[in-house]
Amino acid sequence: MTRIDAKFAELSEKKKKAFVAYVMAGDPDYDTSLEVVKGLPGAGVDIIELGLPFTDPMADGPTIQRAGQRALEGGMTLARTLQLATEFRKQDDTTPIVMMGYYNPIYSRGVETFLKDAKAAGIDGLIVVDLPPEEDEELCIPAQKAGLNFIRLATPTTDDKRLPRVLQNTSGFVYYVSITGITGAAEAEAVDVGPEVARIKSQTDLPVIVGFGIKTPESSRAIAEVADGAVVGSAIVAKIGDGKPVADVLAFVKSLADGAHSA
């Protein structure tokens, strides 16, 4: 059982929904980023999504693109992202960390080396947005063998024919992208999301977490009411990008987490 599985078991027992927060590793700099990440569990975050900075983040909107750029300019690399996770683990051995990013940096490091290093750093799961199920042998299967969850995205365009393929080797949870397009764009609507979550849940026992387009405590709660939890990324990253003090960023995160937990 991974930390992700354990977390969902614990939430299920408490009849609580999950709140997942995304931050870009190294944004705006390594030390501030580490301070934010260390503060997330205390702000009510159940699972941390740690963005891996990449030069060509095609699924990300301007807010997260700029965060990646700031991180890269500050010298952030895959190695330093793993170092950040290692530092976090010195104080917290239970909160799951999912690394989210693109395949190129992982491929460059070498899959075997990366998986060994990720496991040692305390990474629990991977979301690699540009590796479709057809490429499962590349990273998904080796990751699962190494004891990491491989989390797949389902979208409004994932039809009934495609869905079983998407779910086939997914573990940990399913990440449902509530809108078509890039991160941080339109607002997620629970009325649209609910039936889609139900459709996915009819084909898997995995929790279904919804992200993209959740920006307020109210929308966090509304989405958590129709899913197993909510993910917020761009709205948090925007606060960091605005140069808000870490305490203010974490207070905002807490308001979002309280929203999801009140569902």
Side-chain angles (χ1 to χ4, degrees):
M1 184 184 267
T2 65
R3 287 188 189 92
I4 296 170
D5 300 328
K7 176 57 71 176
F8 279 111
E10 177 199 324
L11 288 166
S12 174
E13 212 169 274
K14 293 177 178 173
K15 296 191 165 39
K16 271 177 81 177
K17 299 302 180 77
F19 180 70
V20 183
Y22 170 99
V23 292
M24 179 66 73
D27 174 39
D29 56 68
Y30 182 91
D31 291 339
T32 308
S33 179
L34 179 58
E35 195 184 341
V36 170
V37 173
K38 282 182 171 179
L40 292 176
V45 173
D46 298 302
I47 297 172
I48 296 167
E49 261 183 35
L50 196 57
L52 175 61
F54 182 52
T55 49
D56 188 24
M58 58 194 174
D60 296 310
T63 302
I64 289 178
Q65 281 190 19
R66 285 193 291 268
Q69 202 57 46
R70 288 191 296 268
L72 291 168
E73 284 167 5
M76 206 59 184
T77 59
L78 173 53
R80 295 204 80 202
T81 301
L82 293 172
Q83 183 189 334
L84 192 147
T86 303
E87 284 297 316
F88 171 81
R89 282 281 171 241
K90 289 177 182 175
Q91 69 156 51
D92 186 317
D93 196 41
T94 54
T95 305
I97 300 176
V98 175
M99 185 182 280
M100 184 171 187
Y102 298 83
Y103 185 45
N104 188 282
I106 296 169
Y107 177 78
S108 299
R109 192 175 184 88
V111 167
E112 201 176 316
T113 303
F114 166 73
L115 290 174
K116 180 167 61 67
D117 294 346
K119 190 76 180 158
I123 301 293
D124 304 292
L126 302 173
I127 300 174
V128 183
V129 295
D130 54 348
L131 272 185
E134 286 73 16
E135 308 292 338
D136 274 358
E137 294 295 333
E138 195 80 24
L139 181 63
C140 173
I141 306 296
Q144 306 235 22
K145 283 180 181 162
L148 278 81
N149 291 124
F150 198 88
I151 295 140
R152 192 88 68 193
L153 303 179
T155 73
T157 58
T158 308
D159 60 20
D160 289 338
K161 187 179 174 194
R162 179 68 177 165
L163 186 58
R165 189 70 188 265
V166 168
L167 295 173
Q168 191 174 10
N169 292 315
T170 301
S171 65
F173 60 92
V174 179
Y175 186 135
Y176 179 68
V177 176
S178 64
I179 54 172
T180 51
I182 52 173
T183 59
E187 190 89 21
E189 297 291 346
V191 67
D192 301 323
V193 169
E196 288 297 301
V197 170
R199 182 170 72 93
I200 295 165
K201 287 179 80 68
S202 72
Q203 297 202 35
T204 181
D205 292 332
L206 291 171
V208 180
I209 305 297
V210 176
F212 284 48
I214 303 168
K215 301 171 183 178
T216 63
E218 293 72 27
S219 57
S220 181
R221 176 180 178 152
I223 292 298
E225 281 177 344
V226 297
D228 295 304
V231 186
V232 179
S234 294
I236 297 167
V237 170
K239 299 278 185 199
I240 296 168
D242 288 342
K244 300 284 186 201
V246 170
D248 291 5
V249 173
L250 294 174
F252 176 61
V253 171
K254 186 177 186 308
S255 73
L256 296 163
D258 288 349
H261 290 150
S262 67

